[in-house]
Amino acid sequence: MALPQPKPGVMDITLYVGGKSRLSGVSRVIKLSSNEAALGPSPKAVAAYRGADAALHRYPPGDAADLRAAIAEVHKLDPERIICGSGSDEILGLLCRAYAGPGDEVIHTAHGFLMYGIYARSVGATPVVVPERNITADVSAILAAVTPRTRLVFLANPNNPTGTYLPKAAVESLRAALREDIVLVLDAAYAEFMDAPDYDTGLSLAESTPNTVVTHTFSKIYGLGALRLGWGYGAKAIIDALERLRSPFNVSAPAQAAGVAAVRDQEHVTKAKAHNSKWMKITLQRLRGLGLTVTGDSGNFVLPMFDGKKGKTAAAADAFLQSKGIIARRVDNYGLPNHLRITIGADDEMELLLAALDEFMTS
Ligand SMILES: *Cc1c(COP(=O)(O)O)cnc(C)c1O
């Protein structure tokens, strides 16, 4: 008798493994492996989360109306075109479920966020991986990969783990050149960290075109990764399709309450951004001073490249940092075996990190 078999594509998925958070024999671990918020969440979000404990026996509002209203107010958007999810990951998955299936193709770039390929395979579609140029998405390479079977294009802007981005004009030219029936998904997980004047989250494209979706998360600058909260914005017709597929109570009540308080506390976001900008500048300068190549400077992480000379490989750097209690992220599975992704942490964590990297490179 034949045993149950998963659908085609499922067993081709490489299991996603999150950043490590423990080291054996180390009492103080400095976790710089998952791009979590250096300053943690807004105290107002924590208070709102705690305040939700009086009604844990109640189902959450299925439409997340208050949260959508708060997001709409802060970002000046139409609340009817917002969908909330259990992390923005859920929205990315819903997009694949709604628009792709067996025989269809889903484009993402060579060093793009891993979940795009995973969600494409989960619906039986084929991920099409296009080359990047200087670890940066390349519009002409994306367009060259389009076939009649292409249904979705995923672009993290800025991208994790490369820290590189495409300027507004390039994203607009991509949208303009893509077929109209192809959904362009702009994953803006790190948008709030951006300063570059030529950068745009893509919300204006999502507003003005019938085939562009932007996703945002509360896991990065908002520091609410534990609650699993994200949102997407796009044409009403697309949001309608996703709404039909999501679980009816996909965002918990404590997450909704915390999300409302978090998005309204833009002062905290400003503080977190300033902390990040300060350390990004210092870290890039120090790493480059050690002879390391660092290309991208976007987001809340750096991606130094280790050239392997005199044994200074990414693997050796990772092992050395771990011996000091510091956890970075190996990115071999992103096709970047010579790089380490290191999240910008708190002040004391960054001092310790930079001292450790200095010791590693000069010993
Ligand atoms: C962290 C991250 C996400 C998703 O995070 P959620 O916690 O699911 O909201 C999405 N895209 C990129 C590029 C990320 O780095």
Side-chain angles (χ1 to χ4, degrees), residues 180-246:
E180 284 200 315
D181 64 306
I182 298 173
V183 182
L184 173 62
V185 183
L186 301 170
D187 177 344
Y190 300 93
E192 296 87 351
F193 294 106
M194 296 299 285
D195 268 325
D198 63 351
Y199 173 79
D200 183 75
T201 59
L203 282 169
S204 54
L205 264 186
E207 186 80 72
S208 62
T209 66
N211 40 24
T212 309
V213 174
V214 172
T215 60
H216 276 270
T217 180
F218 282 89
S219 305
K220 303 288 159 54
I221 207 163
Y222 286 101
L224 293 172
L227 292 181
R228 312 304 306 123
L229 187 59
W231 56 280
Y233 193 74
K236 190 77 180 72
I238 294 181
I239 300 304
D240 267 352
L242 305 186
E243 280 288 331
R244 279 155 219 265
L245 293 174
R246 73 168 173 84

